[in-house]
Amino acid sequence: MAEELNQRGQDILEAIVEDYIASAEPVGSRSITRRHAMDLSPATVRNVMADLEDMGFLCSPHTSAGRIPTSKGFHYYIDTLLEVRDLSALEKQRLSKSYQFQGLQMEDVMQEVGRVLSGISSYTGLVMAPKFSSTVFRHIEFVKLSHGRLLVIFVSETGLVQNKVIEAEVDWSAQELERMTNYLNHTLPGMSIQEIRTRLADELQLEKARFDQLQEQAMSLSKAALMDEIEEKVFISGTSRMLEQPEFSTPGKMKKIFHTLESKEHLVKLLDQAQAADGVQIFIGSQTEHDAIEGCSLISSPFSGKKGAVGTLGVIGPVRMDYSHVIPIVDFTAQLVSRILKREAE
Amino acid sequence: MAEELNQRGQDILEAIVEDYIASAEPVGSRSITRRHAMDLSPATVRNVMADLEDMGFLCSPHTSAGRIPTSKGFHYYIDTLLEVRDLSALEKQRLSKSYQFQGLQMEDVMQEVGRVLSGISSYTGLVMAPKFSSTVFRHIEFVKLSHGRLLVIFVSETGLVQNKVIEAEVDWSAQELERMTNYLNHTLPGMSIQEIRTRLADELQLEKARFDQLQEQAMSLSKAALMDEIEEKVFISGTSRMLEQPEFSTPGKMKKIFHTLESKEHLVKLLDQAQAADGVQIFIGSQTEHDAIEGCSLISSPFSGKKGAVGTLGVIGPVRMDYSHVIPIVDFTAQLVSRILKREAE
DNA sequence: TGTTAGCACTCCATGTCGGCGAGTGCTAAC
DNA sequence: GTTAGCACTCGCCGACATGGAGTGCTAACA
């Protein structure tokens, strides 16, 4: 995999990738010598290109069109050739300003991040909200709906509100509910859902006799409220940006991509993967096992609140994406969001 | 507008509309006589078609293609010719079963309705959740975030949860907050937000001296929490269905439609209009002043909870939509959702 | 030995042309 | 009032030529 490539080969591969990113069209030997001031003749470039093709960095769609980079080519470009410059202070400031966060609640923040991300990058923005199990408990509330049905409202340290309806076995009175609510709101704050779950599981193992009635009731209630995993929330913005990419202009490809973006489950898997590592991650087209987003690349970065990694944001676009532009944006945005989440939790 | 059309004219217009709905292609005189067993010759049909074109029901895209219905033609078809059959008991049952509502909270219900609506109709589903101002108060809760910032959680009679962050002028203590919360939760349930607002406005007119401190504090807090209009929530499902329509297969038209669907504000306006009337409403293409959804039709119906009209659901698709199929579905779904909302509120 | 110029070749994209099919409008006959 | 017939109009499609861009190969050059 770690193929050696001499300086000239690198230069030419870089030129091809950049031209292809700019034009979305196969790149010929001639146009390279013209556009990039190389003191080489087209013929020489052709030789090098033939070598690059043999090595798997390039391929030609037809005998006599130019060449386009393969995913391996893109990989090499990103890993070795691309130098990501940091954003200037001015750019950072401008980017920070595009976000209008004040007064928004968590969900709106996620939405807003996606919106801005898509707006500046000109691609489609993705944000996966903090995982439920990794959020830190701040407040819980029970509201009685019809007989036996309870609405549970859960607020995390970062202000994320989750709610669900549970069917309680017992028809609690308002007083009982209030006492349990108070109990839980005094006991649980500061713990993550994951911690609460393990503690709950532990305590349920002990003999019930050891608990007083209140504790027991509260535990059974919070078990119903917090044990189930809640579906991840993914916010997608600027899907129509996908339509602007020439490589997806045929109806067939569009349909495929839109189905993928709509179903969300593929995205969750992918973003989950990205969450594991830290810093900016790049998934290129076919590399992702799901060929559902064949032809797409994802640039993503996890962001974090107070306790460990909690969410992922990123930009999805064609493989032929402007990496040098988007990578620093994603990177900085993740930092920004992390800072905000930590501030919220003060 | 109320042009007279003899029986034959009606028959032929109906045939053309139906063929066009089925094929998305201009309809010729010949194919009509073939497909619909009319004992008329193509020539006769041609004469009638020429008349219909003069009257504005039809138009021909080219000198010598078939004819396609104008929006006026569609209108006439829907108003006069189309007979909407009710769903059979079996179909109703089947439709009811596709909805899996149990245990879902309000927001999920809206989402689910859109999903199913889009699934059965094969077009794009739209649901506008109950307007905030028309919902009936059930419960309110304040959670302190960082200094001075309060998360307000509001639960409606139907289990809809809304939340927002407010900046309180005073840094209330936990006790004060609890007292106010209790006060509000005892005073307000059963009133609609609209009613609460007017009452609030009225009482603020009176001299402040008449209220005790608790009341005054609670009023100022609930003013901050409930006075602002909250953005309407629109749930869109199955946007990719739009891509399947041949009339939107060109990239340009796709982009236009997707922008419209993404921005939501146009949709809110449109759905708002639909909410005013009761029963199924149909908006055809250019009739909607926003030509942003030119080439689209909307079939919608309001649904209601306990107090008056509260939301709208519908299906959006090409003008050439299968009205006879979709109208009863939208109609019945609206009834179904209304029933469920009323049941929730028992 | 590496680089370059030249040349024949391959393909795609574009434009033109003619035929075919579907449809129309008109007229004359029934 | 209805129908058959006919000339006419277009759009669609396949065939064909053309030009341009690119390639691979070979031979000459430094």
Side-chain angles (χ1 to χ4, degrees):
Chain A
M1 194 55 186
E3 247 128 349
E4 282 308 310
L5 218 52
N6 59 25
Q7 187 58 44
R8 191 196 294 169
Q10 293 192 0
D11 288 350
I12 289 179
L13 178 55
E14 185 171 0
I16 292 175
V17 172
E18 281 169 6
D19 279 17
Y20 182 66
I21 284 179
S23 72
E25 266 158 28
V27 183
S29 55
R30 184 95 189 239
S31 59
I32 287 191
T33 57
R34 260 199 308 251
R35 236 191 300 232
H36 309 258
M38 285 187 185
D39 38 358
L40 288 177
S41 76
T44 314
V45 173
R46 276 205 288 282
N47 288 329
V48 179
M49 280 164 82
D51 294 345
L52 288 172
E53 183 163 1
D54 284 344
M55 288 189 266
F57 292 113
L58 300 178
C59 66
S60 33
H62 298 291
T63 330
S64 157
R67 300 244 185 10
I68 60 178
T70 59
S71 359
K72 183 176 169 188
F74 272 106
H75 253 118
Y76 190 90
Y77 171 75
I78 291 166
D79 294 342
T80 318
L81 306 174
L82 180 69
E83 41 197 68
V84 183
R85 66 178 197 350
D86 253 14
L87 294 178
S88 70
L90 181 67
E91 288 170 311
K92 286 185 181 179
Q93 203 188 347
R94 210 179 280 157
L95 187 52
S96 310
K97 268 190 193 159
S98 354
Y99 292 97
Q100 303 175 318
F101 284 138
Q102 70 269 36
L104 293 178
Q105 54 156 122
M106 195 59 192
E107 192 151 315
D108 296 328
V109 171
M110 300 288 111
Q111 193 80 60
E112 170 80 358
V113 169
R115 207 183 57 70
V116 173
L117 220 41
S118 155
I120 334 183
S121 70
S122 307
Y123 300 107
T124 300
L126 294 180
V127 183
M128 184 166 72
K131 258 206 171 129
F132 183 58
S133 61
S134 77
T135 54
V136 176
F137 183 100
R138 163 159 282 188
H139 189 91
I140 200 165
E141 192 69 30
F142 298 90
V143 180
K144 270 177 85 168
L145 297 179
S146 46
H147 50 287
R149 298 176 61 247
L150 285 178
L151 176 68
V152 188
I153 300 172
F154 167 85
V155 183
S156 80
E157 198 64 40
T158 48
L160 185 70
V161 179
Q162 294 269 17
N163 40 31
K164 73 186 250 203
V165 175
I166 59 174
E167 314 272 347
E169 304 106 46
V170 191
D171 193 8
W172 307 104
S173 73
Q175 284 86 346
E176 287 171 314
L177 275 179
E178 202 182 316
R179 284 181 57 222
M180 286 190 274
T181 308
N182 283 337
Y183 174 74
L184 293 173
N185 281 329
H186 278 95
T187 323
L188 302 181
M191 298 171 73
S192 79
I193 297 297
Q194 198 45 58
E195 287 166 353
I196 294 176
R197 284 183 187 151
T198 51
R199 200 180 118 182
L200 225 51
D202 287 351
E203 295 191 346
L204 285 172
Q205 298 243 318
L206 303 176
E207 322 91 87
K208 293 202 167 180
R210 285 190 45 198
F211 303 108
D212 62 26
Q213 201 197 359
L214 175 65
Q215 272 182 314
E216 199 186 317
Q217 287 172 347
M219 261 163 53
S220 101
L221 204 54
S222 54
K223 189 183 160 210
L226 301 176
M227 271 320 215
D228 296 347
E229 197 50 73
I230 284 187
E231 208 182 318
E232 313 298 342
K233 284 197 178 167
V234 182
F235 301 87
I236 308 179
S237 300
T239 33
S240 66
R241 286 296 165 88
M242 279 289 184
L243 299 177
E244 285 161 23
Q245 305 303 329
E247 41 263 84
F248 305 132
S249 61
T250 65
K253 291 181 184 171
M254 279 194 191
K255 250 187 265 179
K256 216 171 169 184
I257 291 179
F258 272 77
H259 271 119
T260 318
L261 290 181
E262 242 173 46
S263 78
K264 293 197 180 178
E265 43 181 314
H266 283 110
L267 297 179
V268 170
K269 266 193 206 158
L270 202 56
L271 292 171
D272 246 356
Q273 243 173 292
Q275 204 174 74
D278 56 52
V280 175
Q281 284 252 304
I282 298 169
F283 296 86
I284 298 173
S286 54
Q287 168 198 18
T288 79
E289 59 259 54
H290 338 280
D291 63 302
I293 54 162
E294 184 193 330
C296 291
S297 280
L298 169 70
I299 299 176
S300 68
S301 173
F303 56 85
S304 58
K306 246 181 174 174
K307 290 205 173 190
V310 286
T312 311
L313 56 80
V315 167
I316 190 166
V319 173
R320 181 190 64 75
M321 221 193 294
D322 186 350
Y323 296 94
S324 66
H325 176 223
V326 178
I327 291 175
I329 292 178
V330 168
D331 192 19
F332 180 69
T333 302
Q335 292 170 28
L336 199 65
V337 173
S338 298
R339 266 214 302 282
I340 288 177
L341 290 192
K342 280 168 184 153
R343 174 147 51 88
E344 295 279 326
E346 264 162 23
Chain B
M1 194 56 188
E3 247 128 348
E4 282 309 310
L5 218 51
N6 60 23
Q7 186 58 44
R8 190 195 295 170
Q10 293 191 1
D11 289 349
I12 289 178
L13 179 55
E14 186 171 2
I16 292 174
V17 172
E18 280 169 7
D19 279 18
Y20 182 65
I21 285 178
S23 72
E25 267 159 26
V27 184
S29 55
R30 186 96 189 239
S31 58
I32 286 190
T33 57
R34 260 199 308 252
R35 238 192 299 233
H36 307 258
M38 283 187 187
D39 36 359
L40 288 176
S41 75
T44 313
V45 173
R46 275 205 289 282
N47 288 330
V48 179
M49 281 165 82
D51 294 347
L52 289 172
E53 182 163 2
D54 285 345
M55 289 189 265
F57 292 113
L58 300 177
C59 66
S60 34
H62 299 291
T63 330
S64 155
R67 300 238 182 19
I68 61 178
T70 58
S71 358
K72 184 176 169 189
F74 272 106
H75 253 117
Y76 189 89
Y77 171 75
I78 290 167
D79 294 342
T80 319
L81 306 175
L82 181 68
E83 41 198 69
V84 183
R85 65 174 198 354
D86 254 16
L87 295 178
S88 70
L90 181 68
E91 287 170 312
K92 285 185 181 178
Q93 204 188 347
R94 210 178 281 157
L95 188 51
S96 311
K97 269 190 191 159
S98 353
Y99 292 98
Q100 302 176 318
F101 284 139
Q102 70 269 36
L104 292 178
Q105 54 155 123
M106 195 60 192
E107 192 152 314
D108 296 328
V109 171
M110 301 288 110
Q111 193 81 59
E112 171 78 357
V113 169
R115 208 183 56 71
V116 172
L117 221 40
S118 155
I120 334 184
S121 69
S122 307
Y123 300 108
T124 300
L126 295 179
V127 183
M128 184 166 72
K131 257 205 172 132
F132 182 58
S133 62
S134 78
T135 54
V136 177
F137 183 100
R138 163 159 282 189
H139 188 93
I140 201 166
E141 192 69 30
F142 298 91
V143 180
K144 270 178 86 166
L145 297 178
S146 47
H147 50 284
R149 298 175 63 245
L150 285 178
L151 176 68
V152 188
I153 301 172
F154 166 85
V155 183
S156 80
E157 200 62 41
T158 49
L160 184 70
V161 179
Q162 294 270 18
N163 40 30
K164 72 186 253 202
V165 175
I166 59 175
E167 314 273 346
E169 304 105 45
V170 191
D171 193 6
W172 307 105
S173 73
Q175 284 86 348
E176 287 171 315
L177 273 180
E178 202 181 315
R179 283 180 57 220
M180 286 189 274
T181 308
N182 283 336
Y183 173 73
L184 293 174
N185 282 329
H186 278 95
T187 323
L188 302 181
M191 298 171 73
S192 78
I193 297 297
Q194 198 46 59
E195 289 165 353
I196 295 176
R197 284 184 186 151
T198 50
R199 200 180 117 181
L200 226 52
D202 287 351
E203 295 191 347
L204 284 173
Q205 298 245 317
L206 305 175
E207 320 91 87
K208 292 201 170 181
R210 287 191 42 198
F211 303 106
D212 62 26
Q213 200 195 1
L214 174 65
Q215 271 182 315
E216 199 185 318
Q217 288 173 348
M219 261 163 54
S220 100
L221 202 55
S222 53
K223 188 180 163 214
L226 300 177
M227 270 321 215
D228 296 348
E229 197 49 73
I230 284 187
E231 209 181 317
E232 314 297 341
K233 282 196 180 172
V234 181
F235 301 86
I236 308 179
S237 300
T239 32
S240 66
R241 286 294 166 88
M242 278 290 185
L243 300 177
E244 286 161 22
Q245 304 304 329
E247 41 263 84
F248 305 132
S249 62
T250 66
K253 290 180 184 170
M254 280 197 191
K255 251 188 265 178
K256 215 170 170 184
I257 291 179
F258 272 78
H259 270 120
T260 318
L261 290 181
E262 243 174 45
S263 79
K264 292 197 180 178
E265 43 181 313
H266 284 110
L267 296 180
V268 169
K269 265 192 208 159
L270 202 55
L271 292 172
D272 246 357
Q273 244 173 291
Q275 204 175 73
D278 55 52
V280 175
Q281 285 252 303
I282 299 168
F283 296 86
I284 298 173
S286 56
Q287 169 199 18
T288 80
E289 59 259 53
H290 338 280
D291 64 303
I293 55 160
E294 184 192 328
C296 291
S297 279
L298 170 69
I299 299 176
S300 69
S301 173
F303 57 84
S304 59
K306 248 181 171 172
K307 290 206 175 191
V310 286
T312 311
L313 57 80
V315 167
I316 191 166
V319 173
R320 182 190 63 76
M321 221 193 293
D322 186 351
Y323 296 94
S324 66
H325 177 223
V326 177
I327 291 175
I329 292 177
V330 169
D331 192 19
F332 180 68
T333 302
Q335 291 169 28
L336 200 65
V337 174
S338 298
R339 264 215 304 283
I340 288 177
L341 290 192
K342 280 168 183 152
R343 173 146 52 88
E344 295 279 327
E346 265 162 23

